[in-house]
Amino acid sequence: MSLDRMVLAFAGLMTLLSVFLTWYVSPYFLWFTVFIGFNQIQSAFTGFCPAAMIFKAIGVKPGTAF
């Protein structure tokens, strides 16, 4: 799996996790969902993605976007 697909899968997983936590644990986990969305938007404009940096450091093969 390339880095691009890994980042997209991770973002989707984190979004689903935040919705699950919001539903079953506390409505304050909605802020986690907001953070994920904000991070995706800023990554689209700046190209800076902390998840991509971590995945790259552990040896995931590069893609075209990151």
Side-chain angles (χ1 to χ4, degrees), residues 14-15 17-19 21 28-37:
M14 288 295 103
T15 302
L17 176 66
S18 68
V19 169
L21 290 171
Y28 290 113
F29 276 105
L30 191 58
W31 288 108
F32 185 41
T33 311
V34 170
F35 170 75
I36 294 166

Side-chain angles (χ1 to χ4, degrees), residues 2-4 6 8 11 13 24-26 31 36-38 40 46 49 54-55 58-59 61 63 66:
S2 72
L3 183 60
D4 301 340
M6 186 75 86
L8 290 173
L13 178 68
Y24 289 105
V25 178
S26 170
W31 288 108
I36 294 166
F38 175 75
Q40 289 176 330
T46 65
C49 179
I54 293 169
F55 288 138
I58 62 173
K61 69 177 181 170
F66 296 108

